Amino acid sequence: MTDRAVSDAIGFVLVFSLIIASVGVVYTAGFSALADSRDEERVTNAVRAFDVLADNFEDIYRTDAPSRATEIKLSDASLAFGEEAELTVNVTNVPGESYSVDVEPIVYRASNTDTTVVYENGATFRTDRGAGVMKRSPHLLVRDAGGSRVVIVPVVQTRSKSTTGVGGSSTVLVRSERIESEMLSSVPADADDNANVSQYDVTITLETDPARAEAWMRYLDDQDGTTCSMPASDTVECTVVADELYVSVTRIDVSFA
C-alpha cells in the first residue's frame, strides 16, 4: 500500500510538472507571437501613414499647394530626420550642366527593432535588418515620347525647420510648407545654346543610406535605357542618353508638432 501511495505521488508530480511546463511553453511562445504581430501591425500602419505623407508632399510639388499637414501615430516609435542624401545630375557632354541637391529624409523608427519607414525624394521605403524595399515609387523617370527619350528628375528637397525628432506613443502632426520651386534644367538637346549637341549624356548619382541604396538601384535600373551600378554600398550611379532633360527642385520645410 505504501509503495502504491508513493507511485501515485510521483505520478501526480510528473503530470503536474508536465502541465506547468506545457503552459509555460505555450505562454512564452504565444506572448512572443502576439508581440511580433503587434509590432508588425504598427509598422504596417506607419507605411500607410507615410503613403498619405507622400500624397501630401506630391500636392505641394506637383500642384503647387502652399502647405500640408499629416498626422502620424507613434506607437513606441520615433520620428526624425535622417542623414542627408545627395542627388546629382550631370550632363557630361555639356560644360556647366550639373546639378546637386541635398535632401533630408524623414525616418520612422520602431522601438526595440531595426525596422524603419522612410520618405526620401518622392519615394517611401521600409527597411529591415539593413535591407530596404521601395513601397512607393518616385516620379523620377525615363520614358520614350514620340521617339525621343525624356529624362525627368523632380527633386523633393525636404528640410528640417528648426525641429528635433519626437518619440513615444503620441500622435505627431507633420507640417510641410513649400518654400520655392525651381526648374534647374528644361532644354531639349537641339536647343540653340547647345546646337552642337544632338543628345545628352546624363549621369544620375545618388548617395544615400546603404539600406535604401539597393532599392533605388533596382528602381532606376528598370527605367528605359538606363545603365546603373553601385560603386559603393551607399552610392548608385546611372547613365542614360537623353533627347530632353528636365530637372526641377521643390524645397519644402518640415516640422513636427
Side-chain angles (χ1 to χ4, degrees):
M1 182 68 85
T2 302
D3 292 341
R4 182 177 178 181
V6 172
S7 297
D8 288 344
I10 293 174
F12 175 78
V13 170
L14 290 175
V15 172
F16 185 76
S17 299
L18 181 61
I19 293 173
I20 294 299
S22 300
V23 170
V25 169
V26 171
Y27 176 81
T28 302
F31 185 80
S32 178
L34 286 174
D36 290 344
S37 177
R38 177 202 61 195
D39 292 341
E40 180 62 28
E41 184 62 25
R42 288 174 176 174
V43 174
T44 299
N45 289 338
V47 171
R48 294 181 184 135
F50 268 59
D51 197 43
V52 175
L53 180 69
D55 282 338
N56 287 337
F57 281 133
E58 188 172 331
D59 286 344
I60 293 176
Y61 72 83
R62 297 196 74 184
T63 66
D64 292 331
S67 63
R68 285 291 185 266
T70 311
E71 287 188 346
I72 296 180
K73 172 65 176 177
L74 299 183
S75 298
D76 287 334
S78 64
L79 192 66
F81 292 94
E83 186 175 347
E84 285 187 345
E86 182 179 33
L87 178 69
T88 301
V89 180
N90 183 34
V91 183
T92 58
N93 60 336
V94 178
E97 194 84 6
S98 182
Y99 312 96
S100 184
V101 182
D102 291 329
V103 174
E104 291 184 70
I106 300 171
V107 181
Y108 171 102
R109 188 177 303 278
S111 297
N112 302 319
T113 72
D114 57 1
T115 300
T116 66
V117 182
V118 182
Y119 177 90
E120 180 179 82
N121 194 27
T124 63
F125 302 84
R126 173 177 173 165
T127 69
D128 296 277
R129 294 182 293 277
V133 175
M134 184 179 287
K135 306 296 290 185
R136 178 191 177 102
S137 300
H139 290 282
L140 189 158
L141 55 86
V142 181
R143 63 183 178 88
D144 281 326
S148 297
R149 179 169 290 130
V150 180
V151 177
I152 302 172
V153 186
V155 183
V156 186
Q157 189 184 28
T158 48
R159 308 182 303 182
S160 59
K161 184 181 179 181
S162 301
T163 187
T164 58
V166 293
S169 297
S170 60
T171 298
V172 178
L173 188 66
V174 181
R175 292 193 176 100
S176 48
E177 178 184 4
R178 181 170 63 88
I179 301 304
E180 63 177 333
S181 296
E182 181 181 2
M183 183 65 73
L184 301 181
S185 178
S186 177
V187 287
D190 59 358
D192 291 340
D193 55 348
N194 292 320
N196 296 324
V197 178
S198 59
Q199 289 181 312
Y200 289 129
D201 296 331
V202 181
T203 299
I204 301 172
T205 304
L206 177 64
E207 295 182 32
T208 186
D209 187 278
R212 301 188 295 275
E214 288 192 8
W216 274 113
M217 165 78 176
R218 290 190 293 269
Y219 173 78
L220 293 171
D221 201 40
D222 282 343
Q223 299 299 306
D224 181 64
T226 60
T227 301
C228 297
S229 63
M230 291 186 64
S233 63
D234 63 348
T235 304
V236 181
E237 186 174 276
C238 300
T239 58
V240 61
V241 176
D243 298 292
E244 297 181 45
L245 172 66
Y246 300 92
V247 182
S248 65
V249 58
T250 301
R251 297 177 178 87
I252 302 176
D253 280 354
V254 181
S255 62
F256 306 140

